[in-house]
Amino acid sequence: MIARVTLELALRKEFDYFIPAELAEQIDVGSRVQVPFGARKVLGCVTALAEESAHTRLKPILKVLGARTLVTPSILKLARWMSEYYCCAPELALKSVLPEAVRQEQAGWRERLYARALPWAGELPKLSKRQKEIWHIAEERRELPLKELIELADTTAATIRRLEDTGLLAISAQISERDPYAREHILPTQTLSLNAAQAKALAAITAAMDAVSEKVSKRANEKRPLAHTFLLHGVTGSGKTEVYLQALAHALEQDRGAIVLVPEISLTPQTVERFKARFSSGPLQTLVAVLHSHLSAGERHDEWHKIRQGRARIVIGARSAIFAPVQPLGLIIVDEEHESTYKQEEAPRYHARDVAIVRGQMEGATVVLGSATPSLESFYNCHRGKYRLLELPERADDKRMPVVRIVDMRQTLRKGKAIPIFSPQLQEAMARRLDRREQAILFLNRRGYSTALQCPVCGYVAGCPNCSLSLTYHRQDQKLRCHICAHTEPVPPLCPNPKCRNPEIRYSGLGTQRVEDTLTRLFPRARIVRMDSDVMKRKDDYRRILGDFRSGKIDILVGTQMIAKGLHFPNVTLVGIIYADLALHQPDFRAGERTFQLLTQVAGRAGRGDVEGEVFVQAFTPFHPAIQCARRHDFAGFYEQEIGFRQQLKYPPLSRIALLTLKGRNEEKVKFSAEHLKGELQKKVGDFKDLILAGPAPAPLLRAETYYRYQIMLRVQRMSALSLRLAELVQALKLPDDVLLSVDIDPVDLA
Ligand code: ADP
Ligand code: ZN
C-alpha cells in the first residue's frame, strides 16, 4: 500500500511513501507520520491511501505518531476547503487544525508514580514503625500519588520501595490528567424554565437538529446532510446562554457532541463554569473540555485527547477550537459572532465563524450564531434567507436597559481651553457613585499617557523609526513607545530637531494612563485601578483585578476594550465612555459598525444588578448614526442606514473582498511589484463577473515594523471561484526576493 503524505514543509505538494507491513495496521487517512525527506526526517499527515503510485522506488514511512489518527477525515476535508478558499498552502491549513501540543510528539500524557495498597488477608509481615505508618496511610487511601505518600508519611522513596518488596504495596506509573480547572469549585446548576422568546428560539433550533438527525439516519450515505444556521439576536442579558445550554443538552440527548466558540477574552473562569456546571452531573453528564491559549502545552494535550477519545463531548474554546475532533458533531455555537478576534491574522487567515458554518454543512451540525450586535454579514444573510433569525428582544433577568446619555463634548471644549477629559456631567455622575458606594467603569480605547509628543516651535513629532506612526508617551517608565512594533526610546529632554532644540515639549492626545492620573487628582480618596495590556503583565493579573473589582475593593475601573466584553458586575451603575468617536475615525469601512458594537457592548456593562444603570457617552460628533442608534439600543435602525452605505459603495456584505498586500523594505520595489501584480490580475482575473479592482495604494499604515506596504483590493460577488484563480496566479507570480505577498480573503483588518 501507498500513503500520500502532506509534509510540514512549505511545498504545496504531496509525496508518496510506501507503507511497511509492520505499520500497515496503524496507518490510515489522517495519521501523523514521520518520513525521510532527502537527508532529513520530517513530519507529515497522510491525506490518502492508494494501491499504486506514479513514482518508483518509494521510501518507507518510518514511524506513526499517536495511537490513533489525529486528523479525522472530516477535519481533513475542512482543512482542504480552508486551503482552497483562503488561498493558503495545504500544509499550513493542516498544521493549524491540530494544537501545537498535539502535533509535536514531545508533550504526551503525564505519567506519575502511584502507590497502591494490595489486598492483604491475615497477619501482616513484620514491619518497622515507619513502615506501619506508611501502610496505614496507603491502606486508607487505597491509591495515591507516591509523592503525596512520601509527604504524608514524612519518609523517603527508598523506604516505600522496601515496603513494596514485602508485597503490601505496588508502585506503578499511571496517567495523571492535567485538568486546568481542577482548583475551581463547580456547583451543578438546574435548567431554567424559559421565557416565551427563549422557548421559541430553542424550539426552532432543536427542530432543525432533529431534522438533520433523521435525515442522516435514513439516508446514511448521503453526502451533504442539510444543516441550518441560526442567528440568535438578543440584547445583553436576554438569556442567550441559557438557550445555548439547553440546545447543548439536546445534542447530548441525540448522542452527539458540540462546540461552543467564544472570543478569547470572554473565556473567563465565570463563563467556563457556567458550561461545566450544567453538565457536571445528571443523566447528561459529560466532561466539558476547554481549549484556549492560556493553557499549558500539557493541559492542551490532555484536553484535546479527552475530546478525541470521546470522553469530553462538549468543547468550549476560542477560535481554533472550531477544529476540535468532536464526533459526531450535532451543534456549533458561535457566541459574540461579530467579534473580530474570530479572524486569524496570519496564514491561514480563516474566520472561525465562517469555518463553523462550512463545518456545520459538511457534518450536518446545526450552527447557532449569537450576538447583541450581529455583524452586518450575518444579519444580511438572514435577510436573504440563508440564515434564520431568532430574536430575544427583552432582558431575561428583569433588569432594565441602562439609560444612555450622549454628552456633546464640543460644548465642554468651548468653555475650557485644553481638550477636556471629563465633561461636568460625567464628573458629577462619578461623584454621586462614590457617595453612594456604587461602582463605575471608564472606558477609553487607547493606552499610554499621551498619544503624541510634539515640539510647539518647529512642529517636530516623535515618530517610530520603523512604522509610520507617532510614538505614545508612557509616563510611568518615562518612555516613548510604538504600539505597532513595540520600539521604545527615552523621552528627549529637548526637541531632537538639531536646528530647534526647544526645551519645552508638549504632549497631546490622551490614553488610559492620563485618564487614571486625572481621576486620582479629581477624586483623591477613590480607589482607582487601571486595566489595559500595559498593566496586565502576568497571567493572573486579569483575574486578580476583576476579583478585586467584584468584591468591591475598587471604586472606579479604567480600561481599554479589555473591560468592554462579557463581564458581569452587579454593583456597577455607571459606565463612562471618554471619547466615543475614537473608533469612528479609522480608515476602514467598518468603522461605524465597530463603534456601534463597542458602545452597545460597553453600555451593556451598566445596570446588571438591582440598581438601574446609567451610561455617559462623550463624543465630538454626537449625531453620528452609530452613536445615536447605540443610545436607543436600536440595532435595526443602525443596520438599515449602514446597509445603505455598504450598498452604495459595494462593500461587504454586498460583496466579498480579497486584499493583496505586498511588503518590503525598499518602497520603490514594493510599488513596482504592486503595479506588476495589478497587470497580472487584469490579465488573469480581469474577466471575472462584477469584479472591482482597486489600487495599488499605500496601506492605511504605510510603514509597519520597517516594511513598506502596498495593497490591491478586489471586490467580487462570489469569492470561492476567484480565490482558486488567485491561488494559481500567486503561485506563478514572480516577485523580487525581498518583496512578500500576502492574500487575505474576507479581511477584517484593512490597515
Ligand atoms: P446573555 O447570554 O444573553 O447575555 P444570560 O444568559 O447571561 O444572557 O442571562 C442573563 C441573566 O438572566 C442570567 O443571570 C441568567 O441566569 C438569567 N436568565 C436567563 N434566562 C432566564 C430564565 N428563563 N428565567 C430566569 N432567569 C433567566
Ligand atoms: Zn513602530
Side-chain angles (χ1 to χ4, degrees), residues 464 466-467 482 484-485 487:
C464 174
N466 310 321
C467 310
C482 172
I484 298 286
C485 73
H487 165 86

Side-chain angles (χ1 to χ4, degrees), residues 6-8 32-34 41-44 65 103-105:
T6 296
L7 303 180
E8 284 181 7
R32 302 231 329 129
V33 292
Q34 191 186 50
K41 290 175 181 172
V42 297
L43 298 178
L65 308 182
R103 241 164 17 83
Q104 299 299 338
E105 50 190 322

Side-chain angles (χ1 to χ4, degrees), residues 251-268:
L252 294 177
E253 279 161 5
Q254 291 185 322
D255 235 347
R256 307 215 275 167
I259 297 175
V260 182
L261 295 185
V262 299
E264 178 85 43
I265 199 145
S266 357
L267 267 171
T268 56

